[in-house]
Amino acid sequence: MGQTLTEKILDDHLVEGELTPGEEIGIEIDQVLTQDTTGTMVWLQFEAMGLDEVQTEIAAQYCDHQTYQFDFKNTDDHRFLRSAAGTYGAHFSRPGNGICHQVHKENFAAPGKTMLGSDSHTPTPGGLGELAIGSGGIDVAVAMGGAPYYIEMPEVVNVRLEGELPEWATAKDVILELLRRLSVKGGVGKVLEYTGPGVETLTVPERTTITNMGTELGATTSIFPTDEKTEEFLGILGREDEYVEIGPDEDADYADEIVVDLSDLEPLIATPSMPDNVVPVREVEGEEVEQVIIGSCTNGGYEDILPSAKMLEGRETAKHTEMIVAPGSKQASEMLAREGWTAEMMAAGVNFSEATCGACIGIGHVPASDSVSLRTFNRNFEGRSGIEDDSVYLCSPEVATAAAIKGEIVDPRDLADELGDLEDPGFEMGDKYGKSDADLISPDEAIDDELIKGPNIGDVPLKDPLSENLKGEALLKMEDNITTDHIIPATSDILKFRSNVPKLSEYTLSRVDETFADRALEADGGFLVAGENYGQGSSREHAALCPMYLGVEGVLAQSFARIHKANLFNFGLIPLEIDADDYEQIEQGDDIEIVDDVREAVDSGQEEFTVRVNDDWEATARLDASERERAILSAGGKLAWTKEQAEGGSGAAPADD
Ligand code: MIC
Ligand code: SF4
């Protein structure tokens, strides 16, 4: 039986286990990526584990989320990250150099490699045939120390692309179409592997838009085979020697197949406030638009902004619509400026931002109240833009630019008919990327050799080992698809506390219930109750760390998102799955008790637990965990477990048994 591309790369990196879906495997990690809002914890954990040098081929630390540095705490975080990269041997990308996924794609992403990153959109380089997975920060710290990364072997699904995109349809519409069909939980436990004749019609930047936003499907990762298009792209980047031809065997066996005929696609848009609320643009035409933003790690490359620039040439944006371009990298910005496109766009009414995540998480360009904002981003979770009750739509740069010209949502095909001289700008590749060396400091050029910690940088809190007895109140009952943005919002007033857990914890679940943090602290223990897909979205481990700090013992949910579930284990919180009927019956404020000797049950591999509610009725809850996850949970989290392992004499490779 032939192998899928995913299996081939995993096989090449396999350290433990077998490639059977659902079984735990350990893989060697070649590259790691961290960014500013998750990176501080990564390095504090690296330090706490007593590790002294990065062991992966490449480790890169980016400063991209909060680059405006509104507060000295942000700047201190950046200085700490520079010092950590220097001390331990990682590349350091300075604030303003661009979004981690875009800069990594330009500088390091390479076919056949594995990567782990403390950001949920780490799968972006799948567009170049790299197998890249997002995880919590502590998993990255451990992998950076040279230990394997352990994960449940996902199912590999074949997404077969046929045909060719028609005019005005784009790569963004491919992924929006998949979100429309599969929903935000349709990819959980799966790798989406793209195949078929449609692949060669897409350039690498188009492919990376698709792999980037595969995260919104909940997929473990997404990957494309390599071909001349990959070779051409690496050539433009000046890294042609890193090209390797890789792809699945002809008789590869996939768990499932999804066919997308590119020629059937049309401009699509995700309506507020979930990336899977997708409809054809024509269905929402006429809605007045006050703000348009082009950028983010999904559509912030030079090639993504160029079509918008061409559409705006000789035109102006509508007077009541503000248009902002936030390039994904300084490199993209520089190329557009050198070619004169920046001036062209400015003359049309565009406001240029530095290369940053910014508005994507409500840092800058917060929409006006009761207004519509169209963005080329990947997430439109309610409130993420920085204002509650926002109305954020997600679309391609072409649809966004058409709206900026017309001042309302319009299908670019209809705008072209109306204007008579507007042509589909197509998708053009740059000739040559320069080298953004000035802002990328390699380990050899490091300027620090010890950690510099400002007053806001605290320690990583540790939890006690799992107790025998778990009981407490159902502190909060939540619905389906609760995101990590609900659990720990990322807006600028809160983001500055990412390195200060006691302070950050005050904001835990404030988007759902402002009284939560105080109530949890007072209750000193208790549970969260949620519906399906709990913890979807970002990789931020703070969404487990802060509830842990407030004394939460576990989460009872119908199902969990992959990265968040791993983070719950990593911080010693028990993730238990419950049935829909039991979920319906449990009320906020109920007394919950796990009847079994929990520690003993977790250690012995018990899968079903009896949950007693109000001393009145019982529900059955399931613990789906590998032996390793059970040991981590029992120790009180990964940091405690790693220290235990090291003291037990397993040495420097902390996760390796
Ligand atoms: C996001 O897009 O939500 C973020 C901000 O990039 C997060 C990381 C974080 O919370 O710091 C992610 O996607 O993992
Ligand atoms: Fe940054 Fe937004 Fe991408 Fe997250 S999704 S890495 S916040 S641009």
Side-chain angles (χ1 to χ4, degrees):
M1 182 63 69
Q3 284 187 308
T4 63
L5 172 55
T6 307
E7 286 166 339
K8 285 186 185 181
I9 301 180
L10 288 175
D11 221 2
D12 263 3
H13 292 81
L14 198 64
V15 179
E16 222 177 292
E18 278 177 29
L19 303 182
T20 313
E23 296 291 305
E24 190 181 72
I25 53 169
I27 54 170
E28 194 189 336
I29 296 297
D30 301 324
Q31 305 189 342
V32 299
L33 161 164
T34 68
Q35 39 89 332
D36 48 354
T37 54
T38 54
T40 49
M41 278 296 147
V42 172
W43 293 110
L44 289 170
Q45 287 162 158
F46 196 84
E47 182 196 21
M49 286 185 284
L51 299 166
D52 51 30
E53 207 184 354
V54 164
Q55 300 295 325
T56 47
E57 287 172 17
I58 303 267
Q61 171 63 57
Y62 299 91
C63 293
D64 50 358
H65 282 63
Q66 177 38 308
T67 63
Y68 300 127
Q69 304 174 329
F70 289 145
D71 191 299
F72 80 91
K73 299 180 186 71
N74 310 126
T75 329
D76 274 6
D77 276 354
H78 292 155
R79 186 178 57 187
F80 168 69
L81 294 171
R82 190 195 68 202
S83 73
T87 308
Y88 296 122
H91 295 263
F92 179 70
S93 175
R94 293 202 291 212
N97 192 36
I99 305 174
C100 52
H101 311 300
Q102 181 66 25
V103 182
H104 198 88
K105 173 170 90 179
E106 291 166 2
N107 291 280
F108 304 115
K113 300 285 182 191
T114 54
M115 171 155 85
L116 197 67
S118 62
D119 190 279
S120 65
H121 292 100
T122 299
T124 310
L128 284 99
E130 173 160 338
L131 196 93
I133 301 175
S135 75
I138 194 161
D139 287 326
V140 170
V142 168
M144 210 149 58
Y149 174 58
Y150 292 91
I151 188 174
E152 208 172 271
M153 175 66 193
E155 284 187 340
V156 186
V157 173
N158 181 4
V159 185
R160 195 178 155 75
L161 301 181
E162 286 173 356
E164 204 166 334
L165 287 169
E167 280 208 334
W168 294 108
T170 65
K172 186 64 164 271
D173 301 310
V174 177
I175 191 66
L176 288 175
E177 168 65 8
L178 285 168
L179 277 154
R180 190 184 68 76
R181 288 199 213 171
L182 305 178
S183 90
V184 288
K185 48 184 201 294
V188 176
K190 296 172 182 161
V191 173
L192 302 187
E193 196 170 306
Y194 290 82
T195 69
V199 167
E200 65 184 34
T201 68
L202 299 172
T203 62
V204 169
E206 289 172 293
R207 296 176 192 177
T208 55
T209 291
I210 297 172
T211 48
N212 171 283
M213 210 171 161
T215 297
E216 276 45 71
L217 293 161
T220 303
T221 190
S222 306
I223 193 163
F224 276 80
T226 62
D227 55 14
E228 296 92 72
K229 290 271 168 57
T230 326
E231 199 170 5
E232 179 200 359
F233 186 68
L234 284 168
I236 292 172
L237 296 171
R239 300 198 282 122
E240 47 283 314
D241 51 325
E242 292 174 39
Y243 178 71
V244 200
E245 195 184 322
I246 45 169
D249 289 327
E250 267 179 27
D251 57 344
D253 187 24
Y254 290 95
D256 200 358
E257 182 180 86
I258 300 167
V259 179
V260 179
D261 190 342
L262 300 177
S263 41
D264 287 344
L265 294 181
E266 62 176 320
L268 297 172
I269 193 162
T271 63
S273 289
M274 228 5 112
D276 60 1
N277 284 343
V278 175
V279 298
V281 174
R282 279 188 176 147
E283 257 182 46
V284 283
E285 257 179 354
E287 184 83 51
E288 188 174 291
V289 175
E290 286 193 27
Q291 184 191 59
V292 164
I293 313 186
I294 306 234
S296 89
C297 56
T298 317
N299 281 117
Y302 163 84
E303 302 80 4
D304 298 296
I305 302 168
L306 190 57
S308 170
K310 289 181 181 168
M311 286 172 72
L312 287 171
E313 205 173 359
R315 296 197 166 80
E316 278 188 9
T317 54
K319 296 286 182 230
H320 65 273
T321 309
E322 282 179 27
M323 180 167 178
I324 299 116
V325 171
S329 68
K330 203 182 220 181
Q331 177 78 255
S333 231
E334 190 189 317
M335 285 164 73
L336 290 162
R338 285 192 194 282
E339 292 171 9
W341 290 113
T342 308
E344 198 65 57
M345 292 182 96
M346 283 178 157
V350 169
N351 180 12
F352 262 79
S353 148
E354 65 182 81
T356 184
C357 295
C360 183
I361 38 170
I363 300 176
H365 305 296
V366 177
S369 56
D370 203 13
S371 73
V372 167
S373 174
L374 251 65
R375 300 167 166 210
T376 66
F377 303 173
N378 48 38
R379 290 185 173 147
N380 58 349
F381 303 144
E382 197 187 332
R384 182 173 160 103
S385 68
I387 174 170
E388 298 302 322
D389 300 325
D390 52 8
S391 201
V392 174
Y393 291 70
L394 308 172
C395 59
S396 67
E398 286 78 350
V399 171
T401 312
I405 296 171
K406 175 106 172 145
E408 58 189 50
I409 300 181
V410 60
D411 186 309
R413 294 170 297 181
D414 297 334
L415 186 67
D417 284 348
E418 187 183 322
L419 299 181
D421 60 350
L422 178 69
E423 279 174 20
D424 178 354
F427 200 84
E428 196 188 322
M429 301 287 293
D431 291 339
K432 200 96 207 131
Y433 274 66
K435 278 231 150 240
S436 50
D437 279 351
D439 287 287
L440 205 51
I441 304 175
S442 74
D444 296 341
E445 299 163 322
I447 30 187
D448 312 283
D449 56 9
E450 60 181 45
L451 298 179
I452 309 176
K453 293 184 189 171
N456 184 48
I457 298 180
D459 293 329
V460 189
L462 275 175
K463 189 178 182 296
D464 291 333
L466 189 65
S467 61
E468 300 152 10
N469 225 318
L470 285 191
K471 62 197 269 195
E473 187 185 323
L475 293 162
L476 193 62
K477 182 168 175 187
M478 295 165 276
E479 60 219 34
D480 289 349
N481 293 324
I482 288 292
T483 72
T484 47
D485 276 313
H486 289 105
I487 309 173
I488 288 291
T491 44
S492 66
D493 48 333
I494 304 178
L495 204 66
K496 60 186 178 219
F497 298 120
R498 283 283 179 99
S499 318
N500 180 344
V501 175
K503 188 73 197 152
L504 187 67
S505 300
E506 293 173 14
Y507 298 90
T508 310
L509 283 159
S510 55
R511 284 246 171 94
V512 184
D513 175 355
E514 279 189 349
T515 67
F516 176 78
D518 287 343
R519 289 196 295 108
L521 264 185
E522 206 173 306
D524 192 23
F527 295 86
L528 297 172
V529 180
E532 300 270 13
N533 201 23
Y534 179 69
Q536 69 152 330
S538 130
S539 67
R540 64 192 73 141
E541 59 192 357
H542 304 79
L545 182 50
C546 293
M548 178 272 256
Y549 181 79
L550 295 175
V552 172
E553 304 277 8
V555 184
L556 307 178
Q558 281 176 255
S559 66
F560 293 89
R562 178 187 67 86
I563 304 179
H564 187 60
K565 186 173 171 192
N567 286 337
L568 290 172
F569 285 121
N570 286 348
F571 292 97
L573 271 66
I574 190 165
L576 290 170
E577 282 164 35
I578 50 172
D579 291 340
D581 289 348
D582 292 332
Y583 165 77
E584 289 304 334
Q585 270 199 66
I586 299 177
E587 300 286 345
Q588 185 164 317
D590 281 355
D591 286 328
I592 306 278
E593 181 178 7
I594 301 178
V595 179
D596 316 68
D597 174 333
V598 185
R599 179 113 197 233
E600 145 76 31
V602 166
D603 289 344
S604 68
Q606 190 174 310
E607 285 176 2
E608 295 208 332
F609 289 71
T610 306
V611 178
R612 219 169 148 63
V613 184
N614 288 337
D615 226 354
D616 177 30
W617 61 280
E618 285 177 357
T620 302
R622 283 165 309 280
L623 177 67
D624 175 18
S626 69
E627 227 174 282
R628 182 179 321 276
E629 287 165 333
R630 286 170 183 274
I632 290 171
L633 184 61
S634 186
K638 194 154 187 170
L639 194 51
W641 178 74
T642 307
K643 284 184 166 171
E644 245 175 40
Q645 296 280 301
E647 280 153 21
S650 76
D656 195 11
D657 73 33

